[in-house]
Amino acid sequence: VGRDVVDSKRFNTIQRVIGAQTEDTDFTLTNPFAYGQVNFKPVSWLKLTGGLRYDHLYYDIEDRTRGLIVSPDLGVTQPKAGVVISPVKGLDFFANFGRGFRTPRAIAGGTLGTPAEGVADQNAPAAKLETKEIGVQFNSADGVWHFLADIYRTTFTNELQGRPTPLPPLSLGPSERDGYDLEARVRVYQNGGKTLSIFANYSGVDGKLVGRTTPGTDIPDVPGYMAKYGFDLVVPLPNDPAQVMTFLVSQTFEGAKSLEPTSVFTTKSFSRIDATLGYTNKNWKGFSAFLGFVIYPDRRLEETAFLFGTPPAVGVSPKAPVTVQGGV
């Protein structure tokens, strides 16, 4: 059972000065659920998987701004299924099917809405997600090589377009995504506990809104591609193999994305560099330490962009050129 207890207050602000209050809502969401999964191998080269999860959502909402008190509830069933065929050791052909959901929004410019409508609806449905996937992967017995490729189709019943607070997200209706993923990893050096591996992956997606009667079919905030490459290095400290240093560096490239269905407003592609230095010690009882860096070599305004105002304009949340974070 999960339980969320939320007290939400929102205000208009201008230059960080608080103005009129726009939201004053308390709500609780109690979510009992049950889940079961069965794995079955009738022969050594075939694995079958089936699962089912049921969620029930009990809301208790007090919207003081609008003087509404309601307690809607709904149930959602989520099946999943999979099959893996392994003709030789390390080589797997797989197929998966699954359904999920997104809960209705308890604060949406009304009491309860689909996560976009912003209207009071005691019987607002959950948005449903369904994915079908097929693919192949290979892992060598010595752990040196790894490859994976897959294609998938995802259907969703209610895409959203974000809007500035206090406006709720805008409902865009159902969508379809056709995508694929490619990834590879190879260990290029090993000497005792020292290892060096390089990796790369690429994901492409073609998404569109379906059944629309208004202009535009692009899904907002979905990049056309994501690409990544990098390496990771593991080095035990001299004369003490209990202490290990790890170093991981990668660069991610993200394609342009539309900010609204007609693609009049779009972002540009950009890249981000992530670097992490880690330290582990077997005598630390499971603790480890890290120092991380995030670097934007170009276009650091593109990762978080949004529309606001009438007529619409583009706002951004600029990223720092370099961010440093450390911890234990």
Side-chain angles (χ1 to χ4, degrees), residues 94-177:
F94 59 87
N96 294 301
F97 167 83
R99 287 179 182 164
F101 75 100
R102 184 178 60 209
T103 60
R105 181 181 169 94
I107 304 173
T111 302
L112 185 72
T114 61
E117 292 176 342
V119 296
D121 183 359
Q122 179 85 355
N123 301 304
K128 303 292 182 63
L129 177 79
E130 181 177 291
T131 297
K132 301 173 183 177
E133 175 198 31
I134 59 172
V136 59
Q137 70 172 344
F138 172 73
N139 294 289
S140 63
D142 56 9
V144 173
W145 297 93
H146 166 76
F147 296 104
L148 181 143
D150 75 336
I151 59 174
Y152 64 87
R153 165 165 284 190
T154 294
T155 58
F156 193 37
T157 60
N158 191 17
E159 288 287 346
L160 304 181
Q161 180 179 340
R163 295 190 290 180
T165 302
L167 295 175
L170 181 64
S171 176
L172 300 177
S175 69
E176 293 181 353
R177 287 174 171 85

Side-chain angles (χ1 to χ4, degrees), residues 25-48:
T25 305
D26 289 347
F27 78 88
T28 60
L29 171 58
T30 304
N31 177 203
F33 62 88
Y35 177 74
Q37 178 171 309
V38 175
N39 299 317
F40 177 56
K41 294 191 70 171
V43 289
S44 61
W45 50 268
L46 177 63
K47 179 180 177 181
L48 304 174

Side-chain angles (χ1 to χ4, degrees), residues 116-306:
E117 292 176 342
V119 296
D121 183 359
Q122 179 85 355
N123 301 304
K128 303 292 182 63
L129 177 79
E130 181 177 291
T131 297
K132 301 173 183 177
E133 175 198 31
I134 59 172
V136 59
Q137 70 172 344
F138 172 73
N139 294 289
S140 63
D142 56 9
V144 173
W145 297 93
H146 166 76
F147 296 104
L148 181 143
D150 75 336
I151 59 174
Y152 64 87
R153 165 165 284 190
T154 294
T155 58
F156 193 37
T157 60
N158 191 17
E159 288 287 346
L160 304 181
Q161 180 179 340
R163 295 190 290 180
T165 302
L167 295 175
L170 181 64
S171 176
L172 300 177
S175 69
E176 293 181 353
R177 287 174 171 85
D178 293 305
Y180 64 93
D181 304 300
L182 301 170
E183 66 179 47
R185 178 183 179 88
V186 58
R187 188 171 65 221
V188 296
Y189 174 79
Q190 182 172 19
N191 183 6
K194 299 179 183 179
T195 62
L196 172 64
S197 299
I198 59 175
F199 58 86
N201 57 63
Y202 184 92
S203 297
V205 62
D206 179 18
K208 62 180 180 180
L209 302 169
V210 296
R212 283 174 61 82
T213 58
T214 53
T217 59
D218 287 337
I219 304 174
D221 300 319
V222 177
Y225 69 87
M226 295 279 287
K228 184 177 183 179
Y229 73 95
F231 72 88
D232 59 73
L233 176 66
V234 178
V235 182
L237 294 189
N239 304 319
D240 189 357
Q243 302 183 66
V244 178
M245 301 295 298
T246 60
F247 189 45
L248 186 150
V249 178
S250 65
Q251 184 171 12
T252 301
F253 298 87
E254 182 174 306
K257 54 190 177 184
S258 300
L259 298 180
E260 39 73 41
T262 64
S263 291
V264 173
F265 298 94
T266 65
T267 65
K268 297 179 181 179
S269 60
F270 72 94
S271 70
R272 181 183 68 248
I273 298 173
D274 296 273
T276 303
L277 178 66
Y279 171 79
T280 60
N281 188 325
K282 292 183 180 179
N283 299 320
W284 278 19
K285 308 298 183 182
F287 284 90
S288 61
F290 75 94
L291 183 64
F293 301 84
V294 179
I295 303 168
Y296 288 86
D298 59 0
R299 296 178 179 167
R300 57 193 178 91
L301 304 181
E302 305 297 328
E303 187 169 30
T304 305
F306 52 89

